[in-house]
Amino acid sequence: MHPPYRQDYVSISLTGQGSGGYNNSKQWRRQSCWRKWKQLSRLQRSLILFILLLLFICGIASYPTVTEHLRGLTDEEQDTDSNSVLKPVIPHVLPEPIKQDHPALPEQLSQRKLSNRRGPPVLQNRLQRKGNTSDTVAEDKPAGDQKEGEEEGVISWPGVVIDTEQATEGTKEKEDSPANPEAKSSKESEVSRLEAVREAFRHAWKGYKDFAWGHDELRPISKSYSEWFGLGLTLIDALDTMWILGLKEEFEEAKAWVATELTFNKNVDVNLFESTIRILGGLLSTYHLTGDSMFLDKAKEIGSRLMPAFNTPSKIPYSDVNIGKGTAHPPRWTSDSTVAEVTSIQLEFRELSRLTQDPQYEAAVAEVMNQVHKLDGKLDGLVPMFINTNNGQFTHQGIYTLGARADSYYEYLLKQWIQGGKKENQLLEDYLQAIEGVKKNLLQTSSPNGLTFVGEVSHGQFSPKMDHLVCFLPGTLALGAHSGLAADHMDLAKQLMETCYQMYVQMETGLSPEIVHFNMHQGSTRDIDVKLADRHNLLRPETVESLFYMYRFTKDHKYQDWGWEILQNFNKYTKVSSGGYTSINNVRDPEYPSPRDKMESFFLGETLKYLYLLFSDDTNLISLDQYVFNTEAHPLPVWPSTA
């Protein structure tokens, strides 16, 4: 038997170049496996088939997630290797670098691949994709890589389509013009940008009129509304904006609603602070701009209905008032009011007393300021966040911030001094002491690029946390310098203005989050971190507010350009096609910013108003020597001198 076996072996080696042996072996293995399979019981075979099917289904389900994760890891490695923070985007078309309006930071010397979905091409010299190490960075999509039925420049969200190319007329003109955009005259640019703001307002107003008329706030995605006080907050907040923007038709229809529909005889609890700055402030401002006494009559009514809030043992007002019953109370969970709220109603009540010749309004708010002035518990002029309505003392001491619950206290110190003709020295002294306290305790610089920021102190420990709300400070400092205070206030304003701008451009959508944390450790690769819970944008006005002040006082056009970028990114990522704008949950995800389905009233009352004033070169349009803005952007007159 041995010789034939050797002959077969030789035959296999010579004839198939290995293929015959391989096939025979494969066939043998197949037959062997089949015999073993047949030897299994039916239950065993069914169980194996079930497990294989389950693994197959799980593989299909997890495939997109795995590939996206791997893609994100690849992008993160690219970001890490680039070791960059503030790098300009490579423009789509322009072959030459675009000039920066401010000196390039050291980290801007290298280039890396960045998404082309950050914003319109004209902005991309300033906009960069920068993420936390844990972030998934979206990849660029080729031009032809859209899903079926998806148009280029459109973000599809459940229940709504947002047109990212539906920016502004000014944007389209700038992109489509065959001429160099820089060749336009400054006047043409001004007109274009002003019209862009008007168009944004009309679009927001359309949504409010169609889906939320007479109600507090628009929910643009669900095409409905939300109520807070049931007093038409958005409409009243927007009255003076429409007047300033010259939108006569929209103003007249809103005025008719105020005259015939607005009533304060309602059994409803309202927040003293919010009602004062939005409703009382809006009505007083509109009265001064138009001279229509109907608005003053409405202001008198709401002002008198808010007065029960001051009926407390300490004369520090309660936070909530029932304007129908004439009763007031603190929140259910505490007897405290926030310091910012009780010290940021003075401009409005003082003006109401001046107009009505009734001193009760001014007396009530002046008592609050006098008490806060004398209180212990301050840190170099910085105040805690809470004050007790029973004993009039600060509570929760040891925490100092220029963010929520304290911010507008500092703003109103300066603005009351200006409103009263710069005669009330106690207000000025408290303001100047507080600014020195900020410099001493809250001011720090980030790493690696040395951005100046305002942090917080909690029981002696410094935290590099900064709210977007703090971005009111550059404008307030600039206003103080313009009003004769120290020139170094303007220097600090410029530094903080740059920081607030970077809070926008370092985000993938070009929109700032609600809160940021700054890196202070040597060796950091980026200046700004954003926690997951802080990535939302509420269409807030503070940065464009300060840009307005900075441009009005310096005439540096970079501040206009920065505001223009912000407006275009609002249009790209928050504009809802059916009308209105929505706040978003994630400024770090340009592919899906995640809409919150709410348009805050201050978007019309403040954000668009300040953008319009920023783009205007008419210094007499709400002259800052004749008007002072309340904290809801409603201009009230500086009192004439009686000397």
Side-chain angles (χ1 to χ4, degrees):
M1 298 297 293
H2 185 68
Y5 176 79
R6 287 185 62 85
Q7 186 177 2
D8 291 341
Y9 175 80
V10 173
S11 174
I12 292 171
S13 299
L14 293 176
T15 59
Q17 297 178 351
S19 61
Y22 173 78
N23 289 336
N24 290 337
S25 176
K26 184 175 181 181
Q27 182 178 1
W28 180 85
R29 285 197 303 269
R30 201 158 44 221
Q31 291 172 349
S32 176
C33 291
W34 178 248
R35 283 197 301 270
K36 291 180 180 180
W37 172 257
K38 295 295 288 183
Q39 290 172 358
L40 296 174
S41 68
R42 181 174 298 177
L43 177 61
Q44 290 173 319
R45 283 182 286 177
S46 299
L47 183 60
I48 292 173
L49 288 174
F50 175 76
I51 293 173
L52 291 174
L53 180 62
L54 185 62
L55 291 174
F56 178 72
I57 293 173
C58 291
I60 292 177
S62 63
Y63 176 75
T65 303
V66 172
T67 54
E68 185 64 28
H69 178 68
L70 293 175
R71 187 181 302 126
L73 289 176
T74 302
D75 286 347
E76 285 180 7
E77 291 172 0
Q78 292 175 353
D79 288 347
T80 304
D81 293 342
S82 67
N83 192 28
S84 62
V85 177
L86 305 176
K87 298 189 174 72
V89 171
I90 302 173
H92 287 300
V93 178
L94 299 178
E96 299 178 358
I98 300 178
K99 292 181 180 179
Q100 300 280 341
D101 284 334
H102 59 280
L105 297 173
E107 298 295 330
Q108 289 177 311
L109 299 177
S110 60
Q111 300 270 342
R112 65 183 173 91
K113 179 183 176 184
L114 299 170
S115 169
N116 62 4
R117 301 177 73 85
R118 270 295 317 267
V122 295
L123 298 184
Q124 294 196 352
N125 62 308
R126 285 191 174 276
L127 306 185
Q128 54 273 29
R129 294 184 53 107
K130 191 71 197 82
N132 291 341
T133 306
S134 60
D135 296 340
T136 299
V137 182
E139 289 190 331
D140 295 345
K141 278 189 179 182
D145 193 24
Q146 278 110 8
K147 297 178 182 178
E148 183 178 354
E150 181 185 33
E151 298 179 18
E152 184 178 1
V154 174
I155 298 177
S156 297
W157 291 342
V160 66
V161 174
I162 291 192
D163 187 354
T164 63
E165 297 300 329
Q166 189 188 17
T168 58
E169 294 178 9
T171 308
K172 290 298 183 183
E173 291 173 5
K174 200 167 185 179
E175 291 177 355
D176 296 341
S177 173
N180 186 343
E182 294 182 358
K184 287 185 176 182
S185 70
S186 60
K187 187 63 178 177
E188 288 174 331
S189 176
E190 177 190 357
V191 171
S192 173
R193 291 179 174 184
L194 291 175
E195 183 55 35
V197 180
R198 290 192 191 97
E199 182 58 33
F201 186 97
R202 291 190 191 101
H203 185 80
W205 188 252
K206 176 184 182 299
Y208 178 75
K209 183 179 178 181
D210 289 348
F211 309 120
W213 183 252
H215 297 285
D216 283 343
E217 290 171 324
L218 168 67
R219 298 181 61 192
I221 293 175
S222 58
K223 301 180 181 179
S224 59
Y225 59 85
S226 61
E227 294 286 40
W228 192 3
F229 308 143
L231 299 175
L233 279 183
T234 294
L235 188 149
I236 297 174
D237 231 357
L239 285 169
D240 55 4
T241 304
M242 289 182 277
W243 184 267
I244 292 170
L245 269 59
L247 301 175
K248 296 181 180 179
E249 179 180 343
E250 291 83 355
F251 176 83
E252 288 299 327
E253 60 188 1
K255 173 185 170 182
W257 183 88
V258 173
T260 60
E261 301 293 333
L262 178 61
T263 176
F264 300 119
N265 187 23
K266 287 185 173 183
N267 180 19
V268 60
D269 283 356
V270 302
N271 179 272
L272 170 66
F273 166 72
E274 297 291 354
S275 298
T276 299
I277 65 171
R278 302 191 196 208
I279 300 176
L280 178 57
L283 292 170
L284 289 172
S285 172
T286 307
Y287 164 68
H288 280 295
L289 293 175
T290 65
D292 191 326
S293 61
M294 183 269 291
F295 295 108
L296 179 57
D297 293 338
K298 293 288 185 180
K300 293 177 186 176
E301 183 180 357
I302 185 61
S304 64
R305 289 179 180 271
L306 292 174
M307 286 303 291
F310 296 91
N311 296 331
T312 71
S314 66
K315 303 304 179 184
I316 300 296
Y318 290 129
S319 63
D320 297 296
V321 187
N322 188 301
I323 57 175
K325 294 181 178 179
T327 59
H329 58 86
R332 286 187 294 272
W333 56 89
T334 181
S335 60
D336 294 343
S337 291
T338 66
V339 172
E341 291 190 355
V342 302
T343 58
S344 303
I345 53 179
Q346 279 67 20
L347 291 178
E348 299 82 358
F349 277 97
R350 282 158 51 111
E351 179 61 13
L352 186 59
S353 275
R354 189 179 75 89
L355 292 173
T356 62
Q357 296 299 301
D358 185 344
Q360 66 166 324
Y361 307 111
E362 182 174 3
V365 296
E367 176 64 21
V368 176
M369 297 306 300
N370 288 332
Q371 288 198 42
V372 171
H373 171 74
K374 295 181 290 186
L375 281 179
D376 294 327
K378 299 177 185 176
L379 176 66
D380 299 316
L382 304 175
V383 295
M385 296 189 293
F386 296 97
I387 188 169
N388 189 272
T389 55
N390 292 322
N391 59 30
Q393 299 296 312
F394 289 133
T395 61
H396 301 85
Q397 296 189 32
I399 302 176
Y400 303 96
T401 175
L402 261 70
R405 299 189 175 94
D407 50 352
S408 47
Y409 161 73
Y410 306 101
E411 175 189 356
Y412 267 41
L413 287 174
L414 176 68
K415 290 183 174 180
Q416 287 178 81
W417 177 69
I418 294 173
Q419 179 191 46
K422 305 178 183 178
K423 299 175 182 178
E424 298 159 286
N425 291 332
Q426 176 180 297
L427 296 168
L428 177 61
E429 291 168 4
D430 286 350
Y431 173 74
L432 292 175
Q433 184 183 13
I435 297 304
E436 292 306 309
V438 170
K439 294 178 182 178
K440 179 179 178 181
N441 300 285
L442 304 184
L443 211 62
Q444 291 288 348
T445 56
S446 67
S447 178
N449 291 298
L451 298 176
T452 301
F453 69 93
V454 178
E456 299 180 354
V457 168
S458 178
H459 305 290
Q461 297 297 314
F462 180 82
S463 169
K465 168 181 174 287
M466 180 169 163
D467 295 359
H468 183 274
L469 288 168
V470 181
C471 287
F472 84 91
L473 187 57
T476 299
L477 288 167
L479 178 62
H482 173 74
S483 302
L485 303 186
D488 66 349
H489 285 205
M490 179 60 82
D491 296 334
L492 179 56
K494 292 177 180 179
Q495 295 172 37
L496 292 173
M497 191 74 263
E498 171 71 27
T499 300
C500 290
Y501 172 63
Q502 291 299 332
M503 288 166 61
Y504 282 76
V505 297
Q506 291 194 37
M507 301 302 115
E508 284 77 357
T509 58
L511 296 174
S512 173
E514 182 74 356
I515 299 170
V516 300
H517 287 76
F518 288 89
N519 287 313
M520 298 173 59
H521 304 293
Q522 294 299 322
S524 299
T525 59
R526 57 183 175 273
D527 294 84
I528 297 174
D529 282 330
V530 188
K531 296 183 178 180
L532 284 172
D534 301 332
R535 296 184 177 190
H536 50 289
N537 180 288
L538 303 182
L539 312 174
R540 284 199 184 276
E542 288 77 21
T543 293
V544 295
E545 170 187 355
S546 287
L547 288 172
F548 156 63
Y549 283 106
M550 296 303 292
Y551 178 70
R552 181 68 69 92
F553 296 140
T554 69
K555 294 303 177 185
D556 189 333
H557 287 280
K558 75 178 181 182
Y559 298 122
Q560 288 185 321
D561 294 337
W562 294 357
W564 182 238
E565 294 175 19
I566 292 171
L567 174 59
Q568 290 184 94
N569 287 318
F570 276 137
N571 276 310
K572 181 167 186 178
Y573 294 107
T574 72
K575 189 174 185 178
V576 181
S577 59
S578 57
Y581 290 74
T582 178
S583 51
I584 57 176
N585 278 315
N586 192 354
V587 298
R588 309 223 63 169
D589 187 352
E591 303 298 328
Y592 184 70
S594 182
R596 295 167 69 100
D597 193 20
K598 187 176 184 181
M599 185 177 76
E600 301 279 356
S601 78
F602 53 67
F603 182 66
L604 298 185
E606 299 187 72
T607 307
L608 293 181
K609 181 187 299 164
Y610 279 129
L611 282 167
Y612 188 84
L613 293 171
L614 167 64
F615 298 146
S616 173
D617 285 322
D618 182 2
T619 57
N620 291 319
L621 182 61
I622 314 298
S623 167
L624 293 175
D625 295 320
Q626 299 175 12
Y627 288 93
V628 60
F629 285 92
N630 83 338
T631 197
E632 191 74 8
H634 298 304
L636 301 173
V638 173
W639 296 348
S641 175
T642 56

